[in-house]
Amino acid sequence: MNLVTLNIRPNIPEALKPLEDIAYNLWLSWNFEAVQLFIRIDYDTWVEARQNPVRMLGLITPEMYQKTAEDDSFIAAMKTVHRDLKRYQAYPRWNNLPSSPVIAYFSMEYGLDAGLPIYSGGLGMLAGDHLKAASDMGLPLVGVGLLYRQGYFKQYLNPDGYQQESYPENDFYHLPIKPCLQEDGSPVIIGVKIGESVVLTKIWKALVGRNYLYLLDTNLKENAPENRTITAALYGGD
């Protein structure tokens, strides 16, 4: 039996297409007018999507899309936010020189937004704020990190009142990230030497305002089992 993986994309009305641009740019995370657009569509769906705009686009019903597309007030607000995003992206960088060096920023975690749960605390929030500030300042900075299948655990109380933890798996195709692709449409995969082994990593990218964050994913069938787990979880117990 051959298994085929399908990634289903939502059928967004043409009038609401700018929502995709907004959802896939983490500029949204520090611009509440952009967040408010998704809350306006349906607050309960926003909560169900765990404040993840990309996931929410797949949860919105056709009826909800149609109703929103016919809301002139919403369309006007969406166009304003989309215009602001495009102006922000087009604003000249601090040096505006095409041959300028690019700063590489490495971190084990990045706390950019609840919709990209690959962080736990202080280190991640600091790294995320550095990327956001670099974008606002027009600094040519590129973030590099790891794309974890399981982010930080979520806490809940069981029926007896005891604290428990769950480790939900991240569905990469419903996060505000996209795979980096070659010209022929195949994924970008690089080799990283670790000890005596060369570990293959698939590269994903997140758009953070005017800059990119590149995330490495080692969960590839070509890798040895122990190397596939490098990006399995944010932090282990050992």
Side-chain angles (χ1 to χ4, degrees):
M1 178 185 296
N2 293 324
L3 298 178
V4 178
T5 301
L6 299 176
N7 294 308
I8 308 300
R9 295 182 60 85
N11 186 20
I12 303 174
E14 192 64 32
L16 299 176
K17 285 293 185 182
L19 286 175
E20 283 192 290
D21 276 349
I22 298 168
Y24 275 98
N25 194 321
L26 289 160
W27 172 86
L28 170 145
S29 66
W30 71 100
N31 289 272
F32 187 69
E33 292 80 4
V35 174
Q36 189 65 26
L37 289 175
F38 294 89
I39 294 175
R40 280 184 63 176
I41 294 174
D42 187 72
Y43 177 76
D44 290 339
T45 306
W46 175 249
V47 172
E48 182 183 354
R50 296 177 183 171
Q51 303 177 47
N52 176 348
V54 173
R55 187 180 180 207
M56 181 173 176
L57 291 178
L59 295 176
I60 298 172
T61 64
E63 294 78 15
M64 201 179 298
Y65 268 129
Q66 188 61 38
K67 179 181 177 182
T68 305
E70 295 172 354
D71 185 339
D72 292 340
S73 175
F74 181 89
I75 297 297
M78 179 191 67
K79 287 182 177 179
T80 297
V81 170
H82 193 237
R83 183 183 67 243
D84 290 345
L85 172 59
K86 292 303 181 184
R87 285 178 176 172
Y88 177 85
Q89 291 177 301
Y91 196 77
R93 293 186 179 275
W94 70 282
N95 51 7
N96 206 28
L97 297 175
S99 60
S100 297
V102 175
I103 304 163
Y105 184 100
F106 295 83
S107 179
M108 289 293 291
E109 55 173 293
Y110 288 89
L112 288 156
D113 187 64
L116 186 58
I118 56 171
Y119 64 95
S120 65
L123 172 65
M125 300 309 294
L126 179 64
D129 284 349
H130 279 164
L131 293 192
K132 295 174 183 179
S135 175
D136 281 348
M137 296 173 66
L139 294 175
L141 184 145
V142 173
V144 182
L146 302 178
L147 184 58
Y148 303 103
R149 295 200 312 277
Q150 292 180 348
Y152 200 56
F153 63 82
K154 296 186 180 298
Q155 297 175 322
Y156 66 96
L157 297 179
N158 68 13
D160 296 321
Y162 290 100
Q163 177 181 298
Q164 303 290 314
E165 295 82 35
S166 65
Y167 295 83
E169 294 255 339
N170 286 322
D171 181 352
F172 296 165
Y173 289 95
H174 289 88
L175 297 178
I177 58 176
K178 292 182 178 180
C180 293
L181 302 176
Q182 307 273 12
E183 290 185 0
D184 62 2
S186 61
V188 173
I189 295 177
I190 64 171
V192 179
K193 189 172 183 181
I194 301 178
E196 298 301 318
S197 302
V198 174
V199 181
L200 298 180
T201 64
K202 182 177 179 179
I203 311 299
W204 299 72
K205 63 181 177 182
L207 189 54
V208 186
R210 291 187 277 171
N211 293 333
Y212 281 104
L213 166 63
Y214 291 94
L215 298 166
L216 283 62
D217 170 22
T218 68
N219 185 29
L220 304 177
K221 64 180 184 297
E222 296 85 355
N223 286 329
E226 63 270 19
N227 290 331
R228 294 184 67 171
T229 63
I230 291 173
T231 57
L234 178 57
Y235 294 128
D238 58 359

